[in-house]
Amino acid sequence: MAEIAPSILAADFANLQRDVEMLNVSQADYIHVDIMDGMFVPNISFGMPVCEAVHKHATKPLDVHLMIEQPDRYLEAFAKAGASILTVHYEACPHLHRTIQRIKEVGALPGVALNPHTPVEVLSEILGDVSLVLIMSVNPGFGGQKFIQNTYQKIARLQALKEKFGYTFKIEVDGGVNLDNAPLLVKEGVNILVAGSFVFSSEDPLKTIADLKTS
């Protein structure tokens, strides 16, 4: 059974507290917070003040995904704003080991994300140091995109590395997750499913989260 991390990027921003409180009573395990800077990705989402406001009302851990350039500048600020998990992109971190260690120092669990074009093998020297590996199954920056089919093979290779060396990190997938592909993703080794528009655009988000949970 997978853990579920609904992405508030797809929430109603005018009623964000209401949507966070809905997630509090749902079967979700985390609240996924997508931070975008308009540089690493084309879109701009929100920053520390919104993260802090969400944390104020959330009873679930905040899974904060930094889709930003030079994330080291903001690690401590996001930890103080309530992030339980801080995930940075491999593609944005020329000194990834140092960044991962810094995340630990500020009191969050470290995660590393990979864009669709980046092979999992580039993480071979850091997998023992992270708590989470996030596989992007769409190109980062916008919600509602179509799931990239090659993701299944990518997850299988990551799971093989995890098993070979006895690593304990969780595998998370973000982008285009729905009830059709969720069971296949879990079968390949995914531990956490991120779902944004699929949850928040459904007629019954609580049921949708519960259905994903048992997929």
Side-chain angles (χ1 to χ4, degrees):
M1 182 181 294
E3 296 179 303
I4 309 301
S7 171
I8 59 169
L9 185 65
D12 180 353
F13 289 176
N15 294 282
L16 194 51
Q17 179 180 341
R18 179 202 66 190
D19 285 357
V20 168
E21 289 173 347
M22 179 273 292
L23 295 178
N24 288 343
V25 300
S26 76
Q27 293 186 43
D29 300 276
Y30 307 93
I31 295 175
H32 192 80
V33 184
D34 288 305
I35 307 299
M36 305 177 184
D37 63 356
M39 298 293 290
F40 182 71
V41 293
N43 202 8
I44 297 174
S45 59
F46 31 68
M48 286 81 76
V50 173
C51 186
E52 187 174 2
V54 169
H55 181 251
K56 180 180 178 181
H57 297 285
T59 59
K60 307 290 175 77
L62 299 191
D63 173 23
V64 176
H65 179 192
L66 298 179
M67 287 177 268
I68 63 176
E69 293 185 356
Q70 301 179 45
D72 300 69
R73 297 174 295 169
Y74 302 110
L75 298 177
E76 185 174 4
F78 276 108
K80 288 181 177 178
S84 294
I85 302 169
L86 275 173
T87 297
V88 296
H89 269 261
Y90 164 83
E91 301 84 1
C93 297
H95 304 286
L96 182 59
H97 183 272
R98 184 168 65 195
T99 302
I100 293 301
Q101 297 308 309
R102 181 59 180 155
I103 292 172
K104 295 177 181 179
E105 288 173 3
V106 300
L109 296 175
V112 60
L114 293 178
N115 282 342
H117 74 282
T118 306
V120 298
E121 288 77 13
V122 299
L123 298 180
S124 61
E125 303 301 325
I126 199 75
L127 289 175
D129 297 297
V130 299
S131 298
L132 180 147
V133 176
L134 170 54
I135 300 297
M136 292 301 300
S137 43
V138 299
N139 286 293
F142 297 95
Q145 297 181 65
K146 187 177 180 180
F147 182 87
I148 296 172
Q149 293 298 311
N150 186 58
T151 304
Y152 298 116
Q153 298 176 27
K154 197 168 180 178
I155 293 163
R157 299 202 313 274
L158 181 59
Q159 178 65 17
L161 285 170
K162 181 179 177 180
E163 292 177 357
K164 180 179 179 179
F165 295 101
Y167 293 135
T168 59
F169 62 83
K170 292 183 178 181
I171 300 175
E172 183 174 49
V173 168
D174 183 358
V177 171
N178 56 43
L179 289 174
D180 293 326
N181 55 36
L184 298 173
L185 291 167
V186 173
K187 183 179 179 181
E188 293 293 352
V190 171
N191 307 109
I192 305 173
L193 298 167
V194 177
S197 55
F198 185 68
V199 167
F200 286 100
S201 65
S202 70
E203 293 184 3
D204 188 346
L206 291 174
K207 183 178 185 301
T208 299
I209 291 169
D211 290 344
L212 282 171
K213 183 91 171 172
T214 57
S215 61

